[in-house]
Amino acid sequence: MKRVSVFCGSNHGASILYEQDAVRLGTQLAKEGITLVYGGSKVGIMGAVANASLKAGGEVIGVIPTMLMEREIAHKGLTELIIVNTMHERKAKMEELSDGFIVLPGGPGTMEEFFEVYTWAQLGEHQKPIGILNTNHYYNKLLDFFNHMIEQQFLKEEYHSLLIVEEEPNLLLDKFKHYTPTVLPKWISRQEI
């Protein structure tokens, strides 16, 4: 695994634990020689994960749309900053550059990025690991909702099992190293293979 995309908030959140885990993850990525790919911002836990990775000697690639560059929130000290036209291009570029995805606490933008790569995995567009760093149990209600989707037959258990959920950055990265895709893409029957 050479590069991992991290989706996370542009705010710090209500608990110091969110930033602390972002720092721990950024540091761990650098120690393991994994390049961080993220949204290119200097603010919130986005900035914290990038700064931690850089401080630990890691490489960091930011992908930011022009509209956010113009608002002067781009991180100027990255290994590389890729400027794209739209948010859609940002997600596509991050997916293209990355060997896996990690979701830290964040708001609607983080959720939108997560759900897009999760949906792509279900459809067989990629077979890359998707991890949720469940800091301070932030994602417990989302994980409960996934169980509700399964109960109501809108999500199959096999697609739910695509997600790697951990509360410790090092445990999450460990599972990434041993990840083997085992789920067939949605809409492909086993007889077609």
Side-chain angles (χ1 to χ4, degrees):
M1 180 150 309
K2 295 179 181 176
R3 294 175 174 171
V4 169
S5 270
V6 172
F7 304 132
C8 58
S10 57
N11 292 306
H12 291 281
S15 170
I16 189 66
L17 296 174
Y18 302 132
E19 185 170 344
Q20 287 174 350
D21 267 5
V23 168
R24 289 172 62 211
L25 178 64
T27 303
Q28 191 69 31
L29 287 169
K31 284 182 180 175
E32 296 192 22
I34 300 170
T35 298
L36 166 66
V37 179
Y38 86 116
S41 176
K42 66 182 179 184
V43 298
I45 60 174
M46 289 177 77
V49 71
N51 289 334
S53 193
L54 290 166
K55 185 177 178 182
E59 293 191 352
V60 179
I61 300 172
V63 183
I64 194 165
T66 12
M67 67 172 188
L68 294 179
M69 279 291 294
E70 292 163 2
R71 295 178 189 168
E72 299 182 336
I73 62 168
H75 196 306
K76 305 289 188 188
L78 305 177
T79 309
E80 183 180 0
L81 183 64
I82 299 169
I83 302 166
V84 294
N85 292 318
T86 66
M87 297 292 277
H88 296 293
E89 287 177 32
R90 174 200 243 177
K91 286 180 295 182
K93 183 51 113 176
M94 290 175 76
E95 192 279 330
E96 174 193 321
L97 291 171
S98 301
D99 302 312
F101 310 94
I102 295 177
V103 184
L104 274 61
T110 302
M111 290 293 84
E112 191 256 344
E113 291 166 329
F114 160 67
F115 275 110
E116 185 142 1
V117 296
Y118 184 37
T119 302
W120 288 345
Q122 288 183 60
L123 296 174
E125 292 293 311
H126 70 79
Q127 293 191 317
K128 302 171 185 180
I130 303 169
I132 294 176
L133 188 59
N134 195 19
T135 300
N136 200 30
H137 308 290
Y138 182 77
Y139 284 113
N140 281 4
K141 290 183 180 179
L142 176 64
L143 298 172
D144 289 344
F145 187 59
F146 283 139
N147 290 327
H148 179 67
M149 288 180 190
I150 292 166
E151 289 167 9
Q152 298 303 310
Q153 300 178 9
F154 286 104
L155 176 66
K156 291 185 178 177
E157 178 61 48
E158 60 192 283
Y159 298 120
H160 185 244
S161 70
L162 286 170
L163 301 175
I164 301 167
V165 182
E166 283 294 340
E167 294 179 16
E168 293 292 327
N170 59 327
L171 295 177
L172 188 59
L173 288 176
D174 219 33
K175 288 187 177 177
F176 266 46
K177 288 181 213 164
H178 301 99
Y179 177 77
T180 306
T182 56
V183 179
L184 292 173
K186 196 172 183 179
W187 312 123
I188 294 180
S189 73
R190 299 192 187 280
Q191 291 81 18
E192 293 177 56
I193 295 179

